[in-house]
Amino acid sequence: MANALWWRRSKTLRFGLPMLLLIVGGSFGLREFAQVRYDVQKVKRKMDPALEAQLKKKKNKDKITLESEYQKLQEPNSDWINVRGPRPWEDSKAVQDQQRKIENGSSIK
């Protein structure tokens, strides 16, 4: 009987063995969960080959370059008007009326 209880008295077996099993078992469990994650990502990335080819054609067709965007910025935009907002201490109605007068005066010229 005394030999049967030796594992209960040993702190290494009583606390260390469950901890070791938890660490080793947890690593296997995490591996399985990580594998599920990567499998789901693979499935989401799969696409119809015809649709994928169509997207590649569209991407090549609509290629935007830095130079083309710079040229768009260089073209003058006559629709743009710089409008100042009212200051916190100013009456917004008075400022709007003043801006309308200035806008109407400049459009008459």
Side-chain angles (χ1 to χ4, degrees):
M1 190 82 168
N3 285 339
L5 297 177
W6 66 271
W7 61 273
R8 284 188 179 177
R9 280 186 253 137
S10 173
K11 286 188 178 184
T12 303
L13 290 177
R14 201 165 89 195
F15 297 113
L17 189 62
M19 183 66 175
L20 189 63
L21 288 173
L22 182 68
I23 291 172
V24 173
S27 69
F28 283 108
L30 283 175
R31 185 186 67 191
E32 292 300 318
F33 281 118
Q35 188 63 42
V36 168
R37 173 183 165 200
Y38 294 125
D39 291 342
V40 168
Q41 286 179 358
K42 266 187 199 175
V43 170
K44 283 185 179 181
R45 287 188 183 149
K46 286 186 181 177
M47 194 183 307
D48 184 31
L51 178 63
E52 192 171 349
Q54 189 178 19
L55 287 173
K56 283 184 181 178
K57 284 181 185 176
K58 188 175 184 179
K59 185 177 180 182
N60 290 337
K61 180 183 166 190
D62 298 335
K63 193 159 190 155
I64 298 173
T65 63
L66 186 61
E67 290 80 17
S68 66
E69 290 298 313
Y70 180 71
Q71 292 300 325
K72 286 180 189 177
L73 288 174
Q74 292 301 318
E75 296 172 4
N77 188 355
S78 61
D79 297 339
W80 184 77
I81 298 173
N82 188 13
V83 178
R84 180 180 73 84
R87 301 287 193 259
W89 58 86
E90 294 176 339
D91 182 27
S92 64
K93 294 281 185 186
V95 172
Q96 288 174 357
D97 290 339
Q98 182 183 11
Q99 287 175 352
R100 285 190 189 110
K101 287 178 187 176
I102 292 171
E103 184 179 315
N104 290 336
S106 64
S107 63
I108 295 172
K109 291 180 182 177

